[in-house]
């Protein structure tokens, strides 16, 4: 990791070079190790407010500490997220753009039941998927909507460009309260197999071009990888310095479990 002091030195150097009107991009490539400037690290930008109406901010308490993750609404009372985002209690905020504000589009709903995949494992991370049943149904509005799951034969291919959004860190030491988004390219599995010892191509997707400084980071976990308007992945893990490619849970491998579990929850509801 690059520490603040080094970073300030780099900025000062950049500043003096910029005054001499040197080409910035080449200098950045030469001076900076991967992922060191705010915004550059995920290469994203602030989303148009409410352009991802399925996005849920998942708030959880773990051992007395409050944490947050992303998630997405798939039915009026069902949010999907990553299993490693489990905590107790949990709640979700739907319809948010700036999470430090009390926006009138926001709906905060407590989680009634959190079901982690029975084979979820934290170290190494696998089967990182969790279904949240909400206490009450969300009201669908212009700012709150559903994201479809893929069909059985709907597969993503390497080279396909998908989008992610999140309220996670936008650099190694900078957080944001506004939803950010970035387009990412699905990679060949080998790209993650060569970097992550326990990457499993049957149940995971490798996302983010290693040549570009664009990726998800801390706090984005649980959010969806959206390809052709369906949820194909759930943001799961990556390295600690915030560079691509990173690993998402492959939703298409879990469709039977998702459907069976949601049906079970709905049956419990009916008298
Ligand atoms: C939370 O507390 C439990 C025991 O109370 C401990 O085993 C676990 O490691 C703690 N988790 C974290 C993330 O601190
Ligand atoms: C954090 O990001 C915001 C928004 O991009 C920016 O205005 C601010 O200067 C950044 N702060 C640091 C410490 O990099
Ligand atoms: C990858 O995941 C599949 C499906 O869960 C599992 O059957 C297989 O054993 C896993 N592979 C490894 C190497 O763990």
């Amino acid at each position: 990791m690059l520490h603040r002091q080094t970073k300030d030195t780099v900025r000062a150097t950049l500043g003096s070079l910029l005054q001499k009107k040197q080409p910035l991009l080449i200098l950045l490539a030469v001076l900076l190790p991967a992922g060191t400037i705010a915004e550059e690290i995920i290469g994203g930008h602030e989303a148009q407010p409410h352009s991802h109406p399925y996005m849920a901010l998942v708030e959880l308490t773990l051992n007395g500490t409050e944490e947050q993750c992303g998630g997405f609404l798939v039915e009026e009372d069902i949010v999907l997220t990553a299993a490693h985002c489990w905590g107790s209690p949990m709640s979700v905020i739907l319809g948010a753009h700036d999470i430090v504000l009390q926006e009138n589009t926001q709906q905060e709903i407590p989680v009634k039941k959190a079901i982690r995949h029975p084979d979820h494992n934290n170290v190494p991370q696998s089967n990182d998927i969790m279904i949240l049943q909400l206490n009450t149904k969300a009201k669908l509005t212009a700012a709150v909507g559903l994201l479809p799951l893929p069909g059985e034969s709907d597969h993503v291919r390497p080279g396909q460009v998908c989008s992610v959004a999140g309220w996670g860190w936008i650099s190694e030491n900078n957080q944001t309260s506004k939803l950010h988004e970035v387009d990412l390219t699905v990679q060949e599995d080998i790209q993650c197999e060569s970097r992550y010892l326990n990457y499993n191509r049957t149940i995971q997707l490798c996302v983010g071009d290693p040549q570009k400084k664009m990726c998800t980071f801390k706090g984005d976990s649980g959010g969806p990888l959206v390809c052709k308007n369906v949820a194909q992945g759930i943001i799961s893990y990556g390295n600690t310095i915030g560079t691509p490619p990173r690993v998402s849970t492959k939703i298409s491998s879990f469709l039977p479990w998702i459907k069976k579990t949601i049906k079970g929850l709905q049956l419990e509801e009916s008298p």
Side-chain angles (χ1 to χ4, degrees):
M1 277 209 188
L2 199 66
H3 297 292
R4 183 174 292 279
Q5 208 178 349
T6 324
K7 205 160 179 174
D8 287 346
T9 312
V10 169
R11 285 217 178 104
T13 314
L14 267 180
S16 68
L17 289 168
L18 276 174
Q19 280 164 7
K20 293 174 198 153
K21 296 200 168 59
Q22 305 272 6
L24 176 61
L25 283 175
I26 295 166
L27 288 169
L28 285 178
V30 172
L31 287 171
L32 300 173
T36 46
I37 301 190
E39 304 283 6
E40 292 292 308
I41 194 152
I42 64 162
H45 54 89
E46 187 180 335
Q48 176 79 17
H50 314 302
S51 56
H52 303 271
Y54 47 79
M55 280 301 298
L57 178 76
V58 176
E59 296 185 311
L60 55 121
T61 303
L62 192 60
N63 290 357
T65 308
E66 284 185 22
E67 313 257 359
Q68 66 188 45
C69 274
F72 52 103
L73 195 66
V74 295
E75 303 223 1
E76 285 158 287
D77 60 346
I78 303 284
V79 164
L80 246 53
T81 183
H84 81 261
C85 294
W86 183 88
S88 182
M90 305 181 74
S91 64
V92 304
I93 299 179
L94 303 165
H97 177 64
D98 190 335
I99 53 176
V100 298
L101 302 180
Q102 303 269 320
E103 299 161 317
N104 59 17
T105 50
Q106 290 181 7
Q107 299 177 38
E108 179 162 11
I109 309 179
V111 169
K112 181 195 225 168
K113 218 173 217 183
I115 303 178
R116 280 172 284 185
H117 191 279
D119 300 324
H120 170 241
N121 199 39
N122 245 324
V123 188
Q125 195 57 256
S126 66
N127 303 297
D128 194 11
I129 179 169
M130 172 163 67
I131 294 175
L132 305 179
Q133 182 185 34
L134 307 183
N135 251 352
T136 56
K137 287 188 174 183
K139 187 166 177 284
L140 300 186
T141 64
V144 176
L146 307 181
L147 182 61
L149 293 170
E152 303 281 351
S153 56
D154 236 349
H155 292 296
V156 273
R157 306 254 169 264
Q160 193 170 337
V161 177
C162 304
S163 81
V164 294
W167 289 275
W169 293 59
I170 54 177
S171 81
E172 188 186 310
N173 54 9
N174 203 357
Q175 275 182 291
T176 175
S177 62
K178 295 169 185 160
L179 188 66
H180 276 56
E181 66 185 2
V182 68
D183 285 344
L184 299 175
T185 308
V186 176
Q187 302 298 300
E188 299 279 358
D189 293 305
I190 186 83
Q191 292 285 351
C192 280
E193 284 164 349
S194 65
R195 289 170 171 85
Y196 301 105
L197 201 57
N198 296 291
Y199 179 80
N200 184 335
R201 57 168 72 195
T202 310
I203 53 172
Q204 294 170 334
L205 292 170
C206 185
V207 183
D209 185 342
Q211 308 298 327
K212 295 183 180 166
K213 292 195 185 73
M214 295 178 169
C215 66
T216 50
F217 203 31
K218 287 180 275 187
D220 290 324
S221 290
L225 176 77
V226 181
C227 312
K228 295 186 184 152
N229 302 313
V230 304
Q232 288 285 3
I234 299 176
I235 297 164
S236 180
Y237 70 92
N239 60 27
T240 54
I241 55 167
T243 57
R246 303 173 81 79
V247 180
S248 286
T249 300
K250 191 194 238 175
I251 291 179
S252 62
S253 312
F254 294 94
L255 287 174
W257 178 74
I258 295 170
K259 286 177 181 166
K260 188 184 74 184
T261 306
I262 293 179
K263 196 168 238 173
L265 289 168
Q266 286 167 341
L267 282 176
E268 285 173 23
E269 294 300 297
S270 51

